[in-house]
Amino acid sequence: MSSTWRVLWPRILNILLIICTSFFLGRWLVGSVGRATGWYLKRHASARKKAILRRVKVEEEAFQNFNRQSQRPAEDDDWEKIESYAAASAKNGGQAEDEWEGIVGFLHPFCNAGGGGERVLWAAIRATQKRWPKALCVVYTGDHDSTKPAILERAQNRFNIRLHPPTVVFIYLSTRHYVLSTTYPHFTLLGQSLGSLILAYDAFSLLVPDIFIDTMGYAFTLALCKFFFPTIPTGAYVHYPAISTDMLGSLDAEQGMGLNAGTGKGLKGALKRKYWHRFASMYSWVGGNVDVVMTNSSWTQGHIRSLWGPSRKKRQKTFDIEVVFPPVAVEELEQAIEISESSEAKREPALLYVAQFRPEKNHALILRAFSLLLERSNDRRNIKLVLVGSVRNSEDATRVYDLRLLAHELKVKDQVEFLCDAPWSEILNRLRKSWVGVNAMWNEHFGIGVVEYQAAGLLSVVNDSGGPKSDIVIDHNGGPTGFHAGTESEFAEGFQQALTMSPQDTLAMRRRARASSRRFTEEAFAKAWVTQMGRLVELQSSAGRFNIIFLPFRHTHAVSMATAIKQYISTKYDQHPDMFTKDLEAIDKLRTEAVNSLDTHISGIKRLTAYAAQLVWIGGKFPIDIGVDFAWYPALGYNTQRPVSQNNLRFELANVLYNLAALYSQLAVSLNRSTSDGLKSACNYFCQAAGVISHLKNEIIPDMRASPPEDMDTMTLESLQQLLLAQAQECFWSKAVKDGLKDGLIAKLAAKVSDFYDQAAEFGTKSDAISTDWIHHMTAKHHHFAAAAQYRASRECLEKQKFGEEVARLRDSLTCANEALKESRWINKVVLGDLNGLKAKVSEDLKRAEKDNDIIYLMNVPPKSELKTLDRAGMATPRVPQEVSDPASTLGDGGIFGQPLFARLVPYAVHIAASIYEERKNRIVNNSIIDELEGLTAKLRDLLQSLNLPGSLQALEKPLGLPPTLLSHAEEIRQQEGLHRLRRTIHETAKLKANDETIYEEGKELLRSEAADDDRARLKYGTERWTRPSSKQAAEKLYSQSTEIAGYLKSASSSDELVKKKLKDHEAVIQVLSGTDRDLEDYVPSSGRAQMPPEVHRAASELRSVLSEVSRTESRRKQKAESLRREAKLDDINSVILAETARLERDYPMQKIEPAQFEFLFEARLERYAPARKMLLSEETSQKDLEQRVHQANKDFLLARKGDSSTRDREQALQRLETAYLKYKEIGSNLATGRKFYNDLANIVNRYRDDCKQFAYQRRVEAARWEQDIANPMEGLAVRQKTQDLHEQKQRESARSEYSAPAPSGEPLTAPTPTRVPSSAVPQPQISVWSPEIGIKFGGPPPAPPPVNGNQQRSVKGGQWDAAQGVKFS
């Protein structure tokens, strides 16, 4: 051990010395030292590289000659599918991708181990060879004891993978022992990671590849590769994260899972925890250096995203972390192993565990579980356990020996069989005969063996964690495909269940398992690998070649639009959401495909435009705030790590279209612009990108009805549009130069390129998102092409023998070139090289021209001010693709994107129109007619009550007993349980109110707690560093909603008190009405008069006649009101609106339907209620006459009874009972309304509380991210420096030459926000859904509605409730 460390540490210290020295000397020197070391390694390995290439060429020729002589058939015909799939990605390139001849380096020190990781390696090399046959696949290995033929033969025998030998090269490393865990008894993770740096240095010193891929988990080697060779693309296939949150969590586990479970206790445990956290930070930083990351399962993907994601975002890595399931020989197993009733008889009760003999595979757990199974089994002799695995080294051999000893101790050695390094044929035979497949590894990253179990039809019993749980042994076709277990007892129980299932259930589970395994075929792996490998090839092909800029993609999170749309349809529309199941699935699928189309491939255009077209279409079906918070990360600026979230369909559309423009720009960059066709295609792509940006700026952003993100403001989009046009014009200029067109035309083209770049830089300085690097690039390009234009103009002057003007233009060209070179500190090396080349050429020609003119021609050299301004030839214009400018043409019959989604759903504007008509109809019928009619009746009742009628008349006519009307009122109250019912309703309403207040307080407490946390952080870090918005600023809507809800509750409380007071005032009399008839008789005194005088009789008869007329009037009005309500209820305008909508869509295809288009229809339809309004006027006139008759009849009655007080007590008692009855009805109506109010308010406060929870969670996550950024002072310094540079750039007014063009002015108009018209309040007792827009109505004249569309309306009854006004009862 000591000798190993003596050799190891000097090498580690050398590498650390380079890195640390560079760190202290500055970031620039860090890169310089790294690149210098890389240059040395390339030079050192160049001779070996040439020798390897020569040897490969010789071997290829020998292999082809051998095939021709032996007449061997072509290899692997089944791979034609993969070749055809991959060939699609070769379009649009300059040099065909299948002609790529680079070297792909695979770091896999244990390539001959024979495990699942090795299957991935050989399948990846096989796919790479098939897709890029001229590529050379180099495997860095430490298997010195195996030759190339032996390794390839083992790959074929073990995995049935046959490779093309000439293009596979093995580089043997002598430092593999530095990555063995046994080398580091302490600090193993750190030791192996540092040892992998030595391993990588060893690899690079032997051969530097063009693409470097780690397929074994040594991520630190990829960071070292980027340090030495920044332009070499790096890839990682991650089988298992070196450290994960599960590992950190296992330190606290009392029992269970992982090799380090429960080791986090005490001082040693605390130190280990700190060490692991430090290592996790290093591992996270390392992941940010990888260009393309693949993981073998969704479990691994989740952990790698959490560890590497933040670092990758900081480095603006374009490609997301993708899942590429490992290849499994599913097809071979299906062909070799039958699953049927007859095959069941050939299987034996054997448990098969195929896994390498490594500690984490936990073979000991299976042995103990198997022993427990035998103890529970009656027939233990027939059950066997077969352990199959490869032995890599002496440590593995020792481990097998220990397992044999354990089997002996458990007394199961006769039932346990060990098969070490078994060939594939033997494994296949065991899969065919065994009954159960076993996997015991905790948090197994994937589990290739488990997939093989399923494909072979074995019943899987696997650890309840990792990939086997989340990706493989899952339900399929409505049933399970295996069993999950964690402990010895659970595994034993799983074995027993698998062995004792009925034959029918066993066969069904085997078939489900095989069907599920088809997701992991070799073909599926090959397709996914070729896609990811294609990204690396693309990066390598384009490295260091760009002198133009492409737009980066915007990224987002996965959200479900279907859920929100389904919820909206179910609550806002009459149609059932189940009618649109396929459409709901389609919209989520379209979004998933669109947001994941981040590859530079032409197929992404269709995915993005198809989704964008559907977004435009459904914008006419649903409101803009559909209920989905779309979170998108900005692509430009300094806040690319913080997503912008908006509940806005237009915001989603804007981001999709931006990504479409970015894709067009990246397609242009990816082309081979060394050919005329490539330049023509690139120019077209740039023009289309500019067109999409123009459409976004002029059509989408103004209609977004919200503030756009900072990288989508007007200045930024203008700058991007001009930049894209500049690059399109530059491509056209390059084509003109390549085609040898005249110098005069080339000068005009170059002058226009300069104009475009000048405008792009000018708008860029006014943007907060355009980086200073881009602005420097644009400025340099502006002066560069100004110099190129004058240079070409000088050549035209030479041709026309204008020698003096030639000198003048060459001098100006040199001046422009020098101006451009002032930006040399910040611009790309390719651009700098072009500038230096142009300057050298101009200087040479200027020297020659001045000499010729001074000696020979002697022409006057005009000053710059007298030179004629060059004409412009603009060939680049924004070209909006038809799929973007007219998405309607892409949908429907004959449309390239198929039928529009939700076509059967009535447009949202139609529902708005229908609600507008309903509101106006209800206002006319209920407020203008029925409420007025009932108001007249109420006025009559008030008049009778004020005159003590009909109590005085009843007391006189019936001096003894009770009036029939009083008895009927009392019976009605008794049947409704009277006061008991009112008190119970009050109690239930109070409970609803208390529940609403509790939920509301929970939401307020969440906001208060979050605000307190934010204030503490601001106090801790200071306002200069903690600059994020305060809680009230960030959640302004929530705080406003809190105030509104408080107003609702306060007003409702005052209303509750009014109801209680009203009940208290009339409680005693209502109690009498609730009692028996005897109680009523006792309450109503009898009159002593037995006979009425004639004059009193006549007056009473006249009064009774008038009161009868009043009763008939009330009855007539009630019938008219009911008739009018029925008529209004049957007045369904939907069919008429739909017919009109169909006409509008037919006459004006795809025009957005607006409610205003139905105004004339509303006016004509509402004319049917004109007779009712006339009837109301007639009733008003007749009531005046009736009121006069009542007054007169009562006056005569009182005069006839003048001086008679014998019935006064009876009159008052009867009148109190009549009033109490009316108040009872009124209180009941008030309580029903209040109860409904609190029920509806419950939905609001629940939604409020949920929004507060989500806000508080998002703020906590954001706060943690801010604290992490603050904790890294170097990174914060870099951000502040960038911000300062941008500020200085904006302050600097660059000198503009005569090639500048004016920038467009004017700001776009913002489209008005449509407002849903609230439904009017429905009279009691009809119940409707309450919302704050409707208000609360308990009777009596409500306030007038607000003005509509800015016009003052006449005062009518009904309208919105103002919380500040409280709630009043009449």
Side-chain angles (χ1 to χ4, degrees):
M1 181 63 65
S2 58
S3 60
T4 301
W5 280 103
R6 279 196 299 270
V7 177
L8 170 64
W9 278 111
R11 300 195 182 190
I12 292 179
L13 289 175
N14 284 337
I15 295 175
L16 291 178
L17 183 62
I18 293 174
I19 296 175
C20 294
T21 303
S22 303
F23 176 80
F24 287 110
L25 290 177
R27 178 175 295 182
W28 175 81
L29 196 54
V30 168
S32 299
V33 171
R35 287 190 294 270
T37 307
W39 173 83
Y40 166 76
L41 290 173
K42 281 186 177 180
R43 182 179 179 184
H44 177 73
S46 60
R48 180 178 286 102
K49 179 178 179 180
K50 294 178 181 178
I52 289 174
L53 293 176
R54 287 195 301 268
R55 188 180 66 189
V56 168
K57 185 176 181 181
V58 172
E59 289 184 4
E60 180 67 35
E61 293 176 353
F63 184 81
Q64 297 298 336
N65 292 332
F66 175 76
N67 282 344
R68 283 193 293 269
Q69 292 173 6
S70 58
Q71 297 182 351
R72 292 180 58 181
E75 300 178 12
D76 301 320
D77 294 335
D78 57 313
W79 277 73
E80 292 178 358
K81 296 179 181 178
I82 298 167
E83 289 178 327
S84 63
Y85 169 83
S89 63
K91 298 176 183 177
N92 304 312
Q95 181 185 24
E97 289 184 358
D98 57 0
E99 296 178 1
W100 185 75
E101 301 178 356
I103 299 175
V104 185
F106 294 88
L107 181 65
H108 206 104
F110 301 91
C111 70
N112 205 31
E118 287 66 57
R119 177 186 283 276
V120 171
L121 170 67
W122 304 127
I125 292 177
R126 183 188 193 190
T128 304
Q129 287 183 329
K130 289 294 181 181
R131 178 62 187 87
W132 294 277
K134 296 182 180 181
L136 179 62
C137 297
V138 173
V139 181
Y140 297 99
T141 181
D143 294 309
H144 288 273
D145 55 345
S146 300
T147 62
K148 173 179 175 179
I151 296 175
L152 296 182
E153 182 180 2
R154 178 175 170 82
Q156 182 172 346
N157 294 337
R158 178 68 178 86
F159 305 115
N160 196 27
I161 296 177
R162 186 165 66 245
L163 302 174
H164 184 63
T167 55
V168 178
V169 174
F170 292 93
I171 301 295
Y172 292 94
L173 307 177
S174 60
T175 53
R176 187 176 72 175
H177 57 285
Y178 291 136
V179 296
L180 294 177
S181 59
T182 55
T183 308
Y184 312 97
H186 305 291
F187 299 100
T188 308
L189 287 176
L190 181 61
Q192 286 184 295
S193 298
L194 295 177
S196 70
L197 298 179
I198 298 176
L199 189 75
Y201 188 89
D202 187 12
F204 296 143
S205 65
L206 297 175
L207 179 66
V208 178
D210 297 312
I211 294 174
F212 185 62
I213 303 174
D214 166 47
T215 55
M216 212 171 169
Y218 301 118
F220 282 71
T221 63
L222 301 170
L224 188 66
C225 178
K226 281 294 182 183
F227 180 65
F228 290 155
F229 318 106
T231 61
I232 291 183
T234 56
Y237 189 93
V238 184
H239 296 274
Y240 198 86
I243 192 167
S244 66
T245 54
D246 288 345
M247 288 176 61
L248 297 173
S250 71
L251 295 175
D252 299 323
E254 293 294 336
Q255 59 181 356
M257 314 318 286
L259 300 176
N260 296 278
T263 60
K265 298 179 181 178
L267 177 60
K268 183 178 179 181
L271 293 175
K272 185 169 189 173
R273 188 190 307 276
K274 185 178 288 288
Y275 156 57
W276 274 15
H277 278 284
R278 294 289 186 185
F279 182 80
S281 300
M282 295 171 59
Y283 189 64
S284 176
W285 177 84
V286 164
N289 292 277
V290 189
D291 295 311
V292 174
V293 181
M294 298 164 273
T295 63
N296 63 344
S297 68
S298 58
W299 180 90
T300 308
Q301 181 192 46
H303 284 280
I304 290 298
R305 275 181 174 169
S306 66
L307 290 166
W308 291 4
S311 180
R312 290 174 59 77
K313 286 178 183 176
K314 288 180 181 179
R315 290 170 173 79
Q316 297 184 347
K317 294 298 181 183
T318 305
F319 305 117
D320 194 12
I321 299 171
E322 302 287 352
V323 175
V324 178
F325 288 124
V328 185
V330 174
E331 300 96 332
E332 181 181 353
L333 289 168
E334 286 185 351
Q335 294 172 3
I337 300 176
E338 178 186 3
I339 297 180
S340 64
E341 294 180 0
S342 60
S343 66
E344 290 296 287
K346 302 176 184 178
R347 292 187 183 270
E348 57 187 28
L351 312 179
L352 180 66
Y353 191 5
V354 180
Q356 291 181 340
F357 289 103
R358 302 205 309 261
E360 61 271 19
K361 296 300 182 180
N362 214 347
H363 290 81
L365 173 66
I366 297 304
L367 283 172
R368 288 190 288 268
F370 180 66
S371 175
L372 191 59
L373 170 68
L374 295 182
E375 292 177 4
R376 300 175 181 177
S377 175
N378 296 326
D379 187 12
R380 59 178 290 164
R381 291 178 301 177
N382 292 330
I383 304 176
K384 295 179 60 178
L385 172 63
V386 181
L387 303 179
V388 181
S390 59
V391 178
R392 302 169 299 170
N393 46 41
S394 59
E395 288 82 3
D396 288 353
T398 303
R399 199 167 293 113
V400 173
Y401 178 76
D402 293 338
L403 291 173
R404 291 182 187 273
L405 290 180
L406 179 61
H408 183 77
E409 293 173 3
L410 296 172
K411 300 180 181 179
V412 296
K413 64 182 183 64
D414 294 334
Q415 283 81 27
V416 178
E417 182 179 359
F418 289 85
L419 291 178
C420 300
D421 295 323
W424 174 246
S425 58
E426 178 62 23
I427 296 175
L428 192 63
N429 185 48
R430 295 290 180 167
L431 290 169
R432 183 183 296 108
K433 293 192 303 181
S434 298
W435 195 275
V436 176
V438 184
N439 178 279
M441 179 176 173
W442 175 68
N443 272 347
E444 170 79 89
H445 39 280
F446 177 66
I448 289 180
V450 180
V451 180
E452 291 176 344
Y453 298 157
Q454 290 190 331
L458 272 66
L459 305 182
S460 302
V461 182
V462 300
N463 197 293
D464 190 22
S465 63
K469 176 184 178 181
S470 59
D471 289 326
I472 305 175
V473 184
I474 60 176
D475 287 355
H476 187 77
N477 291 337
T481 58
F483 304 91
H484 299 135
T487 63
E488 297 172 12
S489 178
E490 290 175 354
F491 269 103
E493 183 179 352
F495 298 156
Q496 191 168 10
Q497 290 182 15
L499 292 170
T500 57
M501 288 173 58
S502 66
Q504 295 81 5
D505 292 343
T506 300
L507 186 60
M509 183 177 286
R510 294 192 199 280
R511 287 172 173 167
R512 285 195 301 270
R514 170 165 286 185
S516 176
S517 69
R518 296 191 180 103
R519 297 174 292 134
F520 311 107
T521 63
E522 293 179 342
E523 180 183 344
F525 169 81
K527 289 181 179 179
W529 176 268
V530 165
T531 299
Q532 303 305 317
M533 185 65 193
R535 294 173 172 178
L536 293 170
V537 171
E538 178 186 335
L539 290 174
Q540 194 278 332
S541 301
S542 58
R545 214 181 56 176
F546 295 153
N547 61 350
I548 55 179
I549 294 176
F550 63 84
L551 305 186
F553 285 118
R554 296 172 71 89
H555 298 270
T556 183
H557 297 303
V559 296
S560 175
M561 290 184 64
T563 302
I565 293 176
K566 185 176 182 179
Q567 177 67 20
Y568 197 88
I569 292 175
S570 62
T571 56
K572 300 295 184 180
Y573 291 88
D574 296 332
Q575 295 162 282
H576 198 280
D578 288 346
M579 296 172 57
F580 309 99
T581 301
K582 292 184 178 179
D583 291 343
L584 291 169
E585 294 174 353
I587 191 64
D588 273 353
K589 182 179 179 182
L590 282 172
R591 186 180 196 274
T592 300
E593 292 178 348
V595 301
N596 292 327
S597 296
L598 304 183
D599 299 333
T600 307
H601 190 269
I602 194 172
S603 62
I605 297 175
K606 183 176 181 180
R607 297 190 186 102
L608 290 166
T609 51
Y611 179 52
Q614 294 290 359
L615 281 177
V616 174
W617 167 261
I618 66 176
K621 296 284 186 177
F622 300 102
I624 194 171
D625 52 343
I626 185 62
V628 182
D629 287 326
F630 299 103
W632 286 85
Y633 289 89
L636 305 173
Y638 303 121
N639 295 311
T640 57
Q641 302 165 32
R642 296 175 183 167
V644 178
S645 180
Q646 289 190 22
N647 175 17
N648 191 320
L649 283 174
R650 289 287 178 177
F651 175 70
E652 172 83 347
L653 177 61
N655 284 278
V656 172
L657 291 180
Y658 175 90
N659 271 1
L660 178 62
L663 177 58
Y664 278 129
S665 71
Q666 293 184 29
L667 285 171
V669 172
S670 68
L671 295 174
N672 181 7
R673 297 186 306 282
S674 62
T675 65
S676 294
D677 290 341
L679 287 168
K680 185 177 180 181
S681 298
C683 178
N684 181 54
Y685 278 137
F686 277 128
C687 288
Q688 287 180 300
V692 174
I693 293 294
S694 174
H695 181 79
L696 177 62
K697 172 173 59 76
N698 298 325
E699 304 295 335
I700 306 303
I701 297 297
D703 195 33
M704 204 163 70
R705 304 167 193 168
S707 300
E710 65 177 14
D711 61 340
M712 282 192 186
D713 64 348
T714 303
M715 293 298 103
T716 302
L717 294 180
E718 282 285 0
S719 178
L720 295 181
Q721 180 180 338
Q722 297 302 320
L723 171 63
L724 294 167
L725 290 175
Q727 295 182 155
Q729 181 82 8
E730 182 178 349
C731 290
F732 204 94
W733 171 85
S734 298
K735 186 176 185 302
V737 173
K738 187 175 185 63
D739 294 344
L741 300 184
K742 292 183 178 180
D743 290 319
L745 178 57
I746 294 177
K748 296 176 182 178
L749 292 171
K752 189 61 180 177
V753 176
S754 178
D755 287 350
F756 281 132
Y757 275 119
D758 183 39
Q759 293 177 37
E762 183 176 349
F763 285 117
T765 58
K766 300 175 183 177
S767 165
D768 292 330
I770 301 298
S771 69
T772 54
D773 291 340
W774 281 25
I775 294 175
H776 288 305
H777 174 88
M778 298 169 191
T779 304
K781 284 279 195 173
H782 157 59
H783 293 300
H784 178 190
F785 278 93
Q790 291 289 27
Y791 172 68
R792 287 288 177 170
S794 71
R795 293 183 59 172
E796 185 182 32
C797 292
L798 176 62
E799 184 180 349
K800 295 180 178 180
Q801 298 184 358
K802 298 179 180 179
F803 304 110
E805 184 178 345
E806 177 197 9
V807 172
R809 292 198 180 276
L810 284 172
R811 288 175 179 173
D812 190 39
S813 177
L814 185 60
T815 300
C816 292
N818 288 329
E819 284 293 319
L821 286 172
K822 291 180 181 179
E823 310 288 340
S824 61
R825 179 180 173 186
W826 299 280
I827 60 178
N828 184 290
K829 289 184 178 180
V830 178
V831 177
L832 183 60
D834 292 343
L835 274 172
N836 286 324
L838 176 62
K839 180 182 177 181
K841 182 64 176 174
V842 171
S843 299
E844 180 183 347
D845 283 11
L846 177 60
K847 184 177 180 180
R848 185 263 312 155
E850 286 179 336
K851 180 179 180 181
D852 290 349
N853 191 56
D854 291 343
I855 298 176
I856 302 174
Y857 306 116
L858 303 177
M859 287 189 177
N860 181 42
V861 178
K864 179 179 178 180
S865 58
E866 295 181 7
L867 289 176
K868 179 184 176 183
T869 302
L870 296 177
D871 293 332
R872 268 63 173 165
M875 306 304 296
T877 57
R879 190 175 305 123
V880 186
Q882 185 180 4
E883 297 89 341
V884 176
S885 63
D886 185 18
S889 63
T890 64
L891 301 175
D893 295 335
I896 59 176
F897 299 142
Q899 294 298 324
L901 301 179
F902 307 100
R904 293 177 296 165
L905 188 67
V906 177
Y908 177 67
V910 173
H911 284 271
I912 294 291
S915 66
I916 290 174
Y917 177 77
E918 286 295 320
E919 190 274 338
R920 293 184 185 177
K921 178 185 69 176
N922 289 334
R923 186 182 299 172
I924 292 174
V925 173
N926 295 323
N927 299 350
S928 301
I929 301 177
I930 294 179
D931 284 357
E932 293 288 345
L933 202 59
E934 292 178 347
L936 293 175
T937 302
K939 188 176 179 181
L940 269 179
R941 290 176 179 171
D942 292 342
L943 175 61
L944 295 180
Q945 187 175 352
S946 66
L947 298 177
N948 203 20
L949 293 174
S952 60
L953 185 60
Q954 289 176 347
L956 181 64
E957 292 179 335
K958 193 173 179 61
L960 301 175
L962 300 173
T965 55
L966 178 60
L967 292 174
S968 65
H969 291 165
E971 181 62 25
E972 178 184 348
I973 292 177
R974 291 190 201 107
Q975 291 180 356
Q976 296 178 356
E977 299 182 357
L979 280 176
H980 178 69
R981 169 175 169 266
L982 295 180
R983 293 191 183 108
R984 185 176 68 246
T985 306
I986 289 176
H987 178 68
E988 292 173 351
T989 304
K991 289 173 62 178
L992 291 173
K993 175 185 176 183
N995 183 62
D996 290 350
E997 289 177 337
T998 300
I999 297 174
Y1000 169 60
E1001 288 298 328
E1002 289 178 7
K1004 286 179 63 180
E1005 181 57 32
L1006 287 168
L1007 291 182
R1008 282 194 294 267
S1009 176
E1010 193 285 323
D1013 291 343
D1014 184 66
D1015 291 340
R1016 280 194 294 270
R1018 186 170 282 103
L1019 184 63
K1020 177 179 179 181
Y1021 296 109
T1023 55
E1024 291 185 358
R1025 290 192 293 171
W1026 196 264
T1027 57
R1028 73 169 185 166
S1030 66
S1031 298
K1032 288 191 176 181
Q1033 292 173 332
E1036 183 179 354
K1037 184 178 179 181
L1038 283 177
Y1039 278 93
S1040 175
Q1041 188 179 5
S1042 178
T1043 304
E1044 291 177 3
I1045 295 175
Y1048 297 156
L1049 290 170
K1050 182 178 179 181
S1051 298
S1053 296
S1054 63
S1055 302
D1056 294 342
E1057 294 301 320
L1058 288 175
V1059 173
K1060 292 178 182 178
K1061 184 177 183 302
K1062 194 182 298 184
L1063 177 60
K1064 183 177 179 181
D1065 292 342
H1066 299 88
E1067 184 175 7
V1069 185
I1070 295 175
Q1071 182 66 48
V1072 173
L1073 284 171
S1074 302
T1076 63
D1077 289 348
R1078 180 63 180 268
D1079 295 333
L1080 288 172
E1081 291 174 354
D1082 293 342
Y1083 183 80
V1084 179
S1086 299
S1087 176
R1089 180 181 293 278
Q1091 186 177 1
M1092 287 188 293
E1095 61 276 11
V1096 175
H1097 187 274
R1098 284 194 299 273
S1101 298
E1102 179 61 27
L1103 181 58
R1104 170 58 64 190
S1105 174
V1106 174
L1107 291 179
S1108 298
E1109 179 65 22
V1110 170
S1111 297
R1112 287 193 296 273
T1113 300
E1114 289 182 1
S1115 178
R1116 183 180 70 252
R1117 289 174 178 174
K1118 184 176 181 180
Q1119 292 176 0
K1120 288 182 178 180
E1122 291 298 327
S1123 175
L1124 192 57
R1125 286 193 181 101
R1126 287 194 298 271
E1127 181 182 355
K1129 187 175 181 180
L1130 296 174
D1131 182 13
D1132 185 5
I1133 199 175
N1134 285 327
S1135 58
V1136 180
I1137 292 181
L1138 288 175
E1140 179 64 14
T1141 301
R1143 184 189 69 81
L1144 291 173
E1145 291 180 340
R1146 183 177 60 254
D1147 295 345
Y1148 308 98
M1150 301 306 294
Q1151 178 181 338
K1152 187 175 182 181
I1153 303 297
E1154 298 290 350
Q1157 295 168 307
F1158 302 97
E1159 281 294 334
F1160 75 95
L1161 189 64
F1162 298 161
E1163 295 176 2
R1165 186 85 173 186
L1166 292 174
E1167 281 300 317
R1168 61 173 59 190
Y1169 300 104
R1173 288 196 288 265
K1174 293 180 181 178
M1175 176 273 295
L1176 179 62
L1177 296 176
S1178 175
E1179 288 290 340
E1180 290 175 350
T1181 303
S1182 64
Q1183 173 139 334
K1184 293 179 181 179
D1185 178 63
L1186 185 58
E1187 288 174 354
Q1188 291 177 358
R1189 290 173 59 193
V1190 170
H1191 277 290
Q1192 186 61 44
N1194 186 63
K1195 182 179 179 181
D1196 295 341
F1197 178 70
L1198 293 177
L1199 286 174
R1201 295 186 60 210
K1202 189 174 182 180
D1204 182 11
S1205 60
S1206 60
T1207 61
R1208 181 171 302 168
D1209 292 340
R1210 182 177 175 83
E1211 293 173 10
Q1212 293 176 354
L1214 290 173
Q1215 192 62 41
R1216 286 196 297 272
L1217 290 171
E1218 179 70 18
T1219 302
Y1221 169 74
L1222 294 175
K1223 290 299 180 182
Y1224 169 81
K1225 300 288 287 183
E1226 182 180 328
I1227 292 171
S1229 176
N1230 294 159
L1231 289 174
T1233 303
R1235 184 173 180 175
K1236 182 180 184 302
F1237 165 79
Y1238 286 119
N1239 277 321
D1240 293 337
L1241 185 61
N1243 295 328
I1244 294 177
V1245 294
N1246 272 297
R1247 193 161 53 244
Y1248 166 75
R1249 181 185 60 183
D1250 293 343
D1251 291 344
C1252 290
K1253 284 182 179 178
Q1254 183 180 5
F1255 169 74
Y1257 171 75
Q1258 292 175 346
R1259 290 276 286 184
R1260 282 197 300 272
V1261 174
E1262 184 185 46
R1265 198 160 50 233
W1266 274 69
E1267 289 181 340
Q1268 183 180 0
D1269 292 345
I1270 291 174
N1272 190 339
M1274 293 300 295
E1275 183 175 311
L1277 179 62
V1279 172
R1280 288 193 295 271
Q1281 184 62 43
K1282 286 186 177 181
T1283 306
Q1284 183 178 358
D1285 290 346
L1286 179 62
H1287 180 71
E1288 293 176 356
Q1289 179 67 35
K1290 290 183 177 181
Q1291 297 295 327
R1292 181 171 61 88
E1293 290 295 333
S1294 300
R1296 306 293 175 187
S1297 69
E1298 71 270 24
Y1299 310 105
S1300 301
S1305 61
E1307 296 186 4
L1309 297 176
T1310 303
T1313 304
T1315 304
R1316 180 183 289 277
V1317 178
S1319 302
S1320 63
V1322 182
Q1324 295 294 331
Q1326 185 175 349
I1327 302 300
S1328 62
V1329 177
W1330 177 85
S1331 68
E1333 290 84 9
I1334 295 177
I1336 307 174
K1337 176 184 174 185
F1338 295 112
V1348 179
N1349 297 331
N1351 300 323
Q1352 187 69 30
Q1353 305 290 312
R1354 74 176 183 87
S1355 178
V1356 295
K1357 293 188 176 184
Q1360 293 185 345
W1361 169 58
D1362 184 1
Q1365 299 298 325
V1367 184
K1368 298 181 181 180
F1369 301 104
S1370 59

